[in-house]
Structures are given as C-alpha cells and as structure tokens.
Amino acid sequence: YMRKGKPDSALSDYNKAISLDPQFVSPYYNRGLLYANLSNPDLAINDFTTAINLDPKYPDTYNDRGLAYMRKGKPNLAIDDFNTAINLNPLFALPYYNRGLLYADQGKFDLAIENYSKTINLNPQYAAAYHYRGVAEEIKGDHLQAQVDFQKATELGWSSEK
C-alpha cells in the first residue's frame, strides 16, 4: 500500500499483523519505516526499538532507527545505532554514509570524508557519497579532489535537484 500512496491502508495492515502475532518482527520494522516516511520519528523509534528487542541481529533496523534519531536531533544515539549496524554487518554501506552525514552536520569533516570513502569502497556506484564527500573536501579546502568527486557523482546520475 505504501508504494501505491496509501499509508493509512499500510498502517492498518501492519497493526493487524502485530495484533495477530506480536512477536513477528517484520510489521514493527515496516511500520517504523512508514512512520519515518510520514515524518513521525518518535513512533518510528518506538517500532524500531520493538523490532530490535525481538531480533537484535538485523542491521537495517539499527540504521533506520539511527536516521530517526538524527531527525530528532539525538546525534549520540544515532551514532550508536550506526555503529551497531556496522558491527553487525561491516559490508553494509548505508550506516557509513549516514554516519558521514551526521559527522558533516557536526563539522567533523575528516570523519565525514572517512565514512563517505568507506561507503564508496563498499558501493562504488553510490553517487550521493561522492557528492557529499566532495562537499566536505570543498569545505576543507581540497578543491581539486572535491571537483573529482563532484564529477564522479554527476557521472553516476547525481543532480542538484536531489
């Protein structure tokens, strides 16, 4: 239902699935994604936390809860969740990317660049990682490397409208 633009129907289905089997992780995770997409990070965090309590070994849940914590302005909790996602699956590129965004927001550009670089090493087609690494490099004064990254991001389909 979410792909069809019917969040109320999706929410109803997730609620029904939870009522039928409160130990089933998937509807909590999916409802958390729904709440995150509806800009309700508090409810998203609650559902992601329930999903983690039921199955603490799924790195996507930590990554997505970390994003919700970012939106709530709780960077330390976000970093903890991104770190846990990485510890569970060191080859999962998204938490490195998200941690890079958070470090850049905090003005920690060396750490941001390091995380974007790790993202690119894991997924060389990740246009946004090149773009934001370029932004961090530009801020640090490395204009040549920034231009290389901006060019690569554009080649991979990045546009300023994103």
Side-chain angles (χ1 to χ4, degrees):
Y1 288 113
M2 274 307 294
R3 291 186 189 119
K4 294 179 180 179
K6 298 180 179 179
D8 292 338
S9 297
L11 181 59
S12 175
D13 282 357
Y14 297 141
N15 290 338
K16 184 172 184 172
I18 289 167
S19 71
L20 292 172
D21 184 357
Q23 300 303 306
F24 187 38
V25 175
S26 183
Y28 290 104
Y29 175 72
N30 289 324
R31 191 173 70 178
L33 290 175
L34 173 69
Y35 286 138
N37 287 332
L38 295 174
S39 298
N40 194 332
D42 290 319
L43 291 176
I45 289 166
N46 288 341
D47 276 351
F48 292 141
T49 299
T50 300
I52 287 167
N53 289 337
L54 293 170
D55 182 3
K57 301 222 182 294
Y58 191 57
D60 293 67
T61 311
Y62 291 95
N63 181 66
D64 291 322
R65 188 175 70 174
L67 286 171
Y69 280 134
M70 273 179 67
R71 290 186 184 107
K72 286 277 299 171
K74 296 185 175 187
N76 293 338
L77 293 172
I79 291 287
D80 288 346
D81 275 352
F82 297 144
N83 290 343
T84 301
I86 289 165
N87 288 335
L88 288 170
N89 182 0
L91 301 179
F92 185 24
L94 277 177
Y96 292 102
Y97 172 76
N98 292 326
R99 200 168 61 178
L101 292 174
L102 186 55
Y103 284 137
D105 284 347
Q106 294 176 331
K108 298 175 181 176
F109 297 109
D110 288 328
L111 288 171
I113 290 167
E114 180 182 315
N115 278 270
Y116 296 139
S117 295
K118 184 66 175 177
T119 304
I120 291 164
N121 287 339
L122 292 170
N123 182 356
Q125 302 303 307
Y126 205 132
Y130 286 99
H131 174 80
Y132 287 111
R133 185 173 72 177
V135 170
E137 291 160 343
E138 187 76 30
I139 290 168
K140 287 192 48 110
D142 190 349
H143 307 295
L144 184 58
Q145 187 58 49
Q147 288 307 310
V148 170
D149 278 345
F150 291 144
Q151 178 62 37
K152 183 66 174 177
T154 301
E155 289 171 12
L156 292 171
W158 178 266
S159 73
S160 59
E161 286 113 40
K162 293 190 179 196

